């Protein structure tokens, strides 16, 4: 079975089921090569072991089988204990992420940034100041909060929108508001899915009296994030978006299950269809909520690579389904790999300047038409 699976894991299969929904900005070089090889090797090992294992099982006694079951149970228990050491609230593979070093878990949004503080993070040679205002949003400084009465640009999304790895003034939201003469309200946060972006967008719109536009970022990895169940999220029930709690119960809270379900970057055909339907509904609702409050929505789709037409993008079919077929306004911005921060792969200041320029060009006509 594993050998057949390895044979099926060609480039298009990996791109569809693993690379696009699971990795940003691109898959590490080892993924395409080593995943297929690893599955094939596992298949060969199982085939080689099947004969001696089969003979051993044929001679197994009830007591021997019980000892094997006990050994497996103890190994799983020990693994769970190791994974729970240290931070009991957060899994170890999440606690070190920037969003949790700057923030805390939240029952509604999954996690939020801690308000009214400034923190320096990043490599020693490239430190970045992350200032968070009183509303819990990244801003120029930790003091004060947005003025609800000013015309505002709300930016929602993930780490690119939050300006991960660059100074606030170099991030595309800050650059855009300087050119457009608007107030920035940046509710983006690293690691967010589209549902979290929608919830934060709605929360900000409810506080502002003069929202002018809403920029919502999208990268394909948000497909996978939208179905992760280690956090509260939005789910699709009979065509409607409804709040869903984090996985509950004994098995739902196991770190081993969390690691397998939420961190193995793979979506089956069924999982991909469900994630796409859910994401489509979330994006539609994001545009509707923005317009309901008088803000012009624009989705910023960030893709890594040279400038290409939509159909030349590996995610082109997905973007066509999510945006073109739904009639949602979007701007597709290609970021050259040379414009990425070398230590973590996020857009550098030059990329943010170009993102801002292209989003402004797409947004200005829509604002003029709306007026």
């Amino acid at each position: 079975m594993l050998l057949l699976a390895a044979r099926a894991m060609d480039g298009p299969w990996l791109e569809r089921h693993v690379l696009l929904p699971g990795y940003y900005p691109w898959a590490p070089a080892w993924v395409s090569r080593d995943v297929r090889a690893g599955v094939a090797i596992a298949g060969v090992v199982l085939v080689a072991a099947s004969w001696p294992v089969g003979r051993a099982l044929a001679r197994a006694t009830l007591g021997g089988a019980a000892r094997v079951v006990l050994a497996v149970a103890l190994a799983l228990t020990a693994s769970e204990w190791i994974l729970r050491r240290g931070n009991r609230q957060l899994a170890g593979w999440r606690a070190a992420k920037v969003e949790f070093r700057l923030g805390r878990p939240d029952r509604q949004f999954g996690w939020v940034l801690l308000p009214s503080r400034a923190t320096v993070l990043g490599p020693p040679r490239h430190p970045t100041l992350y200032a968070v205002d009183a509303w819990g949003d990244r801003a120029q400084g930790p003091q004060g909060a947005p003025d609800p009465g000013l015309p505002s640009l709300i930016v929602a999304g993930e780490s690119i929108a939050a300006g991960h790895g660059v100074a606030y003034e170099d991030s595309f939201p800050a650059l855009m508001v300087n050119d457009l003469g608007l107030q920035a309200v940046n509710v983006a946060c690293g690691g967010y899915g589209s549902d979290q972006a929608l919830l934060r967008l709605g929360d900000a719109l409810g506080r502002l009296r003069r929202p002018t536009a809403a920029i919502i970022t999208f990268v394909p990895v948000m497909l996978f994030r939208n179905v992760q169940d280690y956090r509260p999220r939005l789910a699709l029930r009979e065509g409607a978006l409804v709040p869903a709690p984090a996985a509950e119960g004994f098995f739902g809270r196991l770190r081993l299950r969390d690691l397998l379900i939420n961190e193995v970057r793979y979506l089956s055909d069924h999982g991909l269809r469900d994630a796409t339907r859910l994401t489509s509904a979330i994006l539609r609702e994001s545009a509707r909520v923005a317009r309901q409050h008088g803000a012009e929505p624009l989705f910023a789709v960030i893709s890594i690579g040279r400038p290409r037409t939509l159909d030349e993008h590996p995610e082109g079919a997905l973007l066509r389904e999510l945006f073109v077929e739904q009639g949602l306004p979007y701007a597709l911005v290609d970021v050259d790999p040379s414009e990425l921060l070398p230590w973590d792969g996020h857009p550098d200041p030059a990329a943010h300047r170009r993102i801002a320029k292209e989003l402004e060009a797409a947004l200005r006509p829509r604002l003029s038409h709306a007026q």
Side-chain angles (χ1 to χ4, degrees):
M1 183 66 71
L2 287 177
L3 292 175
L4 292 176
R7 183 179 180 183
M9 289 179 177
D10 56 9
W13 186 94
L14 280 169
E15 188 172 86
R16 175 177 172 81
H17 295 282
V18 178
L19 307 186
L20 282 180
Y23 287 92
Y24 169 83
W26 61 72
W30 57 265
V31 173
S32 299
R33 179 187 68 246
D34 292 2
V35 167
R36 195 176 189 185
V39 172
I41 291 170
V44 171
V45 170
L46 286 178
V47 169
S50 60
W51 175 249
V53 170
R55 293 183 62 187
L57 289 175
R59 298 194 302 268
T61 63
L62 184 60
R67 286 192 294 273
V68 171
V69 171
L70 178 61
V72 171
L74 290 174
L76 292 175
T77 301
S79 299
E80 181 70 18
W81 179 79
I82 291 171
L83 291 175
R84 287 186 174 276
R85 293 182 64 187
N87 192 326
R88 290 185 173 272
Q89 190 174 19
L90 285 174
W93 52 88
R94 297 192 186 103
K97 292 184 177 181
V98 169
E99 51 265 30
F100 290 109
R101 295 172 69 184
L102 297 173
R104 60 170 176 79
D106 183 85
R107 291 185 177 181
Q108 180 181 6
F109 303 120
W111 55 88
V112 293
L113 301 180
L114 293 169
S116 302
R117 62 179 60 196
T119 309
V120 177
L121 296 176
R125 293 187 178 183
H126 301 278
T128 301
L129 174 67
Y130 294 93
V132 182
D133 65 20
W135 280 14
D137 305 327
R138 192 174 184 197
Q140 184 70 49
Q143 305 302 322
D147 184 340
L150 290 179
S152 300
L153 170 70
I154 304 99
V155 178
E158 37 58 83
S159 54
I160 300 175
H164 178 92
V166 301
Y168 174 79
E169 58 270 19
D170 291 330
S171 66
F172 81 77
L175 296 169
M176 288 185 70
V177 295
N178 287 339
D179 293 340
L180 296 172
L182 299 172
Q183 171 182 240
V185 180
N186 190 343
V187 298
C189 189
Y192 268 6
S194 302
D195 59 333
Q196 293 167 291
L198 165 59
L199 293 172
R200 291 297 307 276
L201 172 66
D203 179 68
L205 288 167
R207 300 186 187 196
L208 299 169
R209 294 194 294 272
R210 299 177 65 189
T212 301
I215 299 290
I216 306 118
T217 57
F218 176 82
V219 289
V221 71
M222 296 174 94
L223 277 180
F224 187 79
R225 292 176 182 173
N226 291 342
V227 296
Q228 290 177 308
D229 66 3
Y230 68 88
R231 60 171 178 85
R233 63 203 187 282
L234 293 179
L236 203 56
R237 301 283 188 268
E238 298 181 354
L241 290 170
V242 297
E248 298 176 312
F250 175 77
F251 289 104
R253 295 191 180 96
L254 288 177
R255 291 282 169 86
L256 283 170
R257 176 200 174 275
D258 183 13
L259 192 62
L260 178 64
I261 299 298
N262 292 312
E263 297 303 323
V264 175
R265 304 304 177 95
Y266 163 76
L267 287 178
S268 65
D269 284 328
H270 178 74
L272 192 57
R273 284 194 298 270
D274 285 350
T276 303
R277 282 196 293 265
L278 172 61
T279 303
S280 296
I282 293 170
L283 298 179
R284 288 196 305 271
E285 181 65 8
S286 299
R288 188 197 69 79
V289 167
R291 291 182 176 124
Q292 183 183 47
H293 287 81
E296 184 64 28
L298 179 67
F299 293 94
V301 181
I302 311 299
S303 181
I304 308 303
R306 61 176 177 80
R308 298 150 289 177
T309 65
L310 174 61
D311 292 329
E312 289 176 321
H313 286 74
E315 67 270 43
L318 172 66
L319 300 182
R320 186 172 294 281
E321 181 175 355
L322 292 177
F323 298 102
V324 178
E325 294 177 6
Q326 296 200 109
L328 298 177
Y330 77 101
L332 177 56
V333 183
D334 289 307
V335 174
D336 191 271
S338 65
E339 297 177 318
L340 299 176
L341 298 172
W343 54 90
D344 73 359
H346 281 79
D348 67 11
H352 274 272
R353 288 193 293 272
R354 198 158 52 75
I355 292 171
K357 182 178 179 180
E358 294 192 28
L359 293 181
E360 285 178 38
L363 184 61
R364 283 185 186 276
R366 304 189 67 83
L367 293 179
S368 299
H369 179 73
Q371 294 172 353

